Amino acid sequence: MNSKQQFLNDVLIPFAALTDNDVAVSLTYWRSRKIAKGEFFNMQNFVCADLALIVSGIFRVYFIHPETQEEKNMYFFSEQQFLVSFRSFINQYPCYYFIEALEDAEILSIHYTDLQYLYSTPTGWQKFGRLIAELFFNYSQSRTEEFLFNTPEERYLKMLKEHPGIVNRVAAYHISSYLGIKNPSLTRIKKRLQQKQ
């Protein structure tokens, strides 16, 4: 079994209860791609045509505020997570966001039309489609609720749980933007947490 198939098995079988055969059927559609730090998986105003799995690296999803031109980080995605601008992907219309590699990265990606074909086959891929939709709906709602119900410190702790080691991989200003705070507030959160240890 090659490394691509092994990686897909390791992620897809637990995620959607796909069989070895389901993954094997999809193998020819997954393409390996390296994305250098600072390069984009997808850009604003472009249709997101691919769904990806991150083999290595970390990405941010962000938009530029139209009035202030400030970059606002919405999501981070790292190893063994799916990467996509989901509404753009499922509707095949231009994306509102940028998806940028924050370090040299490698992904496996599948094109929209190929995934649609897999959905039409008598395999577990239809279930995969439902579960990926549920996953990204959950990401979206959770992110909204974080800002409604959680403090910046709680958001910081949740981020650490979802992306272990992120503070050593991503610049502090990106983390501050993601948390909706300024750098001095992030410094105070880190200091408080260190004192609790």
Side-chain angles (χ1 to χ4, degrees):
M1 186 182 297
N2 64 37
S3 59
K4 177 169 87 168
Q5 186 171 2
Q6 185 62 59
F7 180 80
L8 290 170
N9 278 358
D10 290 347
V11 177
L12 298 176
I13 290 173
F15 174 72
L18 296 180
T19 65
D20 288 341
N21 185 62
D22 292 337
V23 176
V25 165
S26 76
L27 269 184
T28 57
Y29 301 115
W30 291 93
R31 298 176 309 282
S32 181
R33 178 178 162 197
K34 293 186 185 299
I35 302 177
K37 179 179 179 178
E39 291 184 352
F40 294 90
F41 170 72
N42 202 68
M43 295 184 71
Q44 188 180 51
N45 299 322
F46 284 77
V47 173
C48 186
D50 295 289
L51 171 74
L53 266 171
I54 302 171
V55 177
S56 63
I58 192 165
F59 291 80
R60 68 173 178 139
V61 178
Y62 73 96
F63 70 97
I64 298 175
H65 192 283
E67 293 175 8
T68 65
Q69 295 302 298
E70 185 181 359
E71 294 178 2
K72 302 276 191 178
N73 290 333
M74 298 174 56
Y75 300 97
F76 293 122
F77 292 102
S78 55
E79 285 83 2
Q80 297 198 3
Q81 289 188 310
F82 293 98
L83 180 67
V84 70
S85 178
F86 196 66
R87 286 185 66 202
S88 174
F89 181 75
I90 60 172
N91 294 305
Q92 288 296 281
Y93 63 53
C95 180
Y96 294 130
Y97 312 110
F98 296 89
I99 304 179
E100 178 190 19
L102 292 176
E103 57 189 26
D104 292 344
E106 182 182 355
I107 61 171
L108 291 173
S109 63
I110 187 167
H111 193 272
Y112 173 83
T113 52
D114 294 328
L115 193 55
Q116 295 304 309
Y117 166 73
L118 289 174
Y119 291 164
S120 73
T121 62
T123 60
W125 282 97
Q126 282 190 354
K127 180 180 179 184
F128 171 87
R130 176 176 60 79
L131 291 175
I132 200 79
E134 290 175 359
L135 176 69
F136 277 88
F137 173 79
N138 188 49
Y139 283 154
S140 177
Q141 185 156 340
S142 294
R143 190 78 174 116
T144 301
E145 290 174 352
E146 282 174 26
F147 280 93
L148 289 172
F149 305 123
N150 299 127
T151 65
E153 186 171 311
E154 288 167 337
R155 293 198 293 274
Y156 177 76
L157 290 170
K158 184 173 186 285
M159 179 197 70
L160 293 182
K161 187 175 179 182
E162 291 174 351
H163 305 282
I166 190 171
V167 293
N168 301 317
R169 300 171 68 184
V170 172
Y173 66 90
H174 282 315
I175 291 173
S176 297
S177 172
Y178 173 79
L179 297 174
I181 59 177
K182 300 297 183 187
N183 273 9
S185 298
L186 177 60
T187 301
R188 286 192 292 273
I189 288 170
K190 288 179 177 178
K191 191 172 182 180
R192 274 199 308 274
L193 292 172
Q194 285 173 348
Q195 289 170 346
K196 290 178 183 177
Q197 290 177 346

